[in-house]
């Protein structure tokens, strides 16, 4: 697979991938130019499983980011890298306590909600455990509701919360929250119990950086 | 719940919790004194669900760390915080590319293996979906094998790998890998396909910081 010129940023992405959506938000928030390369997660048995992609990303997951000859994986690690390589318009606050808070909110989504509901897990439930469709949907909604309820409590109860998850500028936690809320809408989760999350979602989607990163805004959207 | 004196480090931990084990390793590697507070994840319906703990950690998961009046959650966020608050004996390398590599390895475990096999998910499989014991074990082994195989490929194929996951000093990726390998042993996963992981595990367990963090070394070990 061609790896792009030195200095260019290439993102292997799929329109509906939550993890790729996070990185699209981060790239746009930082005002960086980037070239998308589509990896279709369902077609042809999943292009993420093809040898050419597997050579870049042995986990066979999106996203993968190329920059300066490096191959970067794991969406949150990529966002942290972008924040270090391009310090302008920071995604993380400057103080250790604030950074810990933002990382904890990001990881609440990236570790404890999203992976449990990810495509490969849903496929295992369906094909290996033969869990019926309605119970699979209940599974998805269960982990989303549990995680988002904790996030609502953490955000509503903290003076650190502003217009966005941390203060009045968007950052890493928002880049993780918004794709998760996209999934919540997609599966019909009732969000009325999470007024703070809904307020932050509206603030984010009013920004061009978030709007351009939305699944429906991608060239490969179905 | 008492929150400890300013400056003290208090860790809410459970001996067998993978995520708490990561933070124990990090605290020990940095040579920090810390006070354990046991949260029994099974007894009394799970002490992590009691109101006093839930007030500290709305996710009702361990670990939680108290330091300087702050309440910190999410093990990887806590380890990053410790690295910023106590810069001696760093857990992350100094260069952005190295940091991205270490974070990707850490998140491979912390996002894509461990949460799918965590206690609450196993309880859901058992009680809500009524998945039999042998199929639950197969589930656990499947996600471990898939993730560890990718990690073996990433480590074996990279000049960044040394005695430890990154170079010749232990750090964040090792602190995530070792607890995952503890779980792999516990569930009887055949590790022969992962020679690099086994070599790194042996190097880590030879260090007092890792040895003292092991589940069996904890006061609350069954």
């Amino acid at each position: 697979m061609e790896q792009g010129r030195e200095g260019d940023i290439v993102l292997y992405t799929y329109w509906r991938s939550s993890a790729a959506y996070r990185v699209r938000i981060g790239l746009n928030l930082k005002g960086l130019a980037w070239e998308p390369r589509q990896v279709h997660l369902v077609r042809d048995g999943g292009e993420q499983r093809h040898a050419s992609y597997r050579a870049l990303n042995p986990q066979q997951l999106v996203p993968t980011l190329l920059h300066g000859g490096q191959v970067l994986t794991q969406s949150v690690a990529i966002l942290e890298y972008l924040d270090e390589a391009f310090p302008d318009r920071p995604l993380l606050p400057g103080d250790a306590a604030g950074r810990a808070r933002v990382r904890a909110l990001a990881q609440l989504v990236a570790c404890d909600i999203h992976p449990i509901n990810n495509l490969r897990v849903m496929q295992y439930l369906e094909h290996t455990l033969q869990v019926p469709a309605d119970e699979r949907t209940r599974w998805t909604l269960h982990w989303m509701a549990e995680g988002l309820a904790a996030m609502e409590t953490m955000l509503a109860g903290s003076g650190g919360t502003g217009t966005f998850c941390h203060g009045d500028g968007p950052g890493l936690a928002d880049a993780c929250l918004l794709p998760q809320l996209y999934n919540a809408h997609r599966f019909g989760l009732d969000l009325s119990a999470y007024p703070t999350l809904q307020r932050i979602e509206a603030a984010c989607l009013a920004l061009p950086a978030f709007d351009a990163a939305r699944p429906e805004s991608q060239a490969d959207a179905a």
Side-chain angles (χ1 to χ4, degrees), chain A residues 88-196:
Chain A
D88 280 355
R89 313 191 203 175
L91 301 173
L92 284 157
D95 61 306
R99 294 162 73 84
R101 176 174 184 267
V102 167
R103 287 180 174 130
L105 293 166
Q107 288 163 22
L108 186 162
V109 172
C111 298
D112 291 329
I113 303 178
H114 174 251
I116 307 173
N117 289 339
N118 207 359
L119 178 64
R120 61 192 185 129
V121 174
M122 301 315 292
Q123 288 175 336
Y124 190 101
L125 287 173
E126 179 177 358
H127 301 302
T128 305
L129 293 181
Q130 262 130 44
V131 173
D134 61 331
E135 293 202 41
R136 296 200 305 274
T137 300
R138 221 172 298 142
W139 164 283
T140 300
L141 294 173
H142 173 83
W143 301 114
M144 285 204 261
E146 187 165 298
L148 294 177
M151 193 154 179
E152 174 70 26
T153 301
M154 288 168 73
L155 288 169
S158 165
T161 308
T163 304
F164 300 97
C165 285
H166 192 78
D168 293 326
L172 179 68
D174 307 289
C176 290
L177 174 61
L178 267 278
Q180 191 57 62
L181 292 177
Y182 167 83
N183 286 339
H185 294 299
R186 184 179 159 199
F187 285 90
L189 183 70
D190 177 8
L191 294 179
S192 60
Y194 321 121
T196 312

Side-chain angles (χ1 to χ4, degrees), chain A residues 13-16 24 36-40 215 217-222:
Chain A
T13 176
Y14 179 64
W15 65 293
R16 233 174 195 173
R24 295 194 302 258
R37 298 239 176 112
Q38 279 86 28
V39 182
H40 200 294
S217 309
Q218 307 313 301
D220 58 336

Side-chain angles (χ1 to χ4, degrees), chain A residues 206-222:
Chain A
L207 301 178
F210 282 85
D211 187 56
R214 289 192 310 129
E216 297 80 0
S217 309
Q218 307 313 301
D220 58 336

Side-chain angles (χ1 to χ4, degrees), chain A residues 5-10 23 26-34 65-70 72 77-92 99:
Chain A
R5 284 164 307 178
E6 186 86 12
D8 287 356
I9 296 176
V10 171
V23 177
L27 287 163
N28 293 350
L29 281 173
K30 296 190 87 67
L32 297 167
W34 55 281
L65 185 129
L66 310 182
H67 177 245
Q70 297 162 78
L72 303 161
I78 292 170
L79 289 164
E80 294 257 9
Y81 170 82
L82 292 173
D83 221 32
E84 296 185 354
F86 304 97
D88 280 355
R89 313 191 203 175
L91 301 173
L92 284 157
R99 294 162 73 84

Side-chain angles (χ1 to χ4, degrees), chain A residues 42-57:
Chain A
V42 183
R43 202 170 51 200
D44 294 337
E47 291 178 354
Q48 75 279 16
R49 299 193 183 97
H50 293 192
S52 57
Y53 186 74
R54 221 167 54 217
L56 288 176
N57 187 322

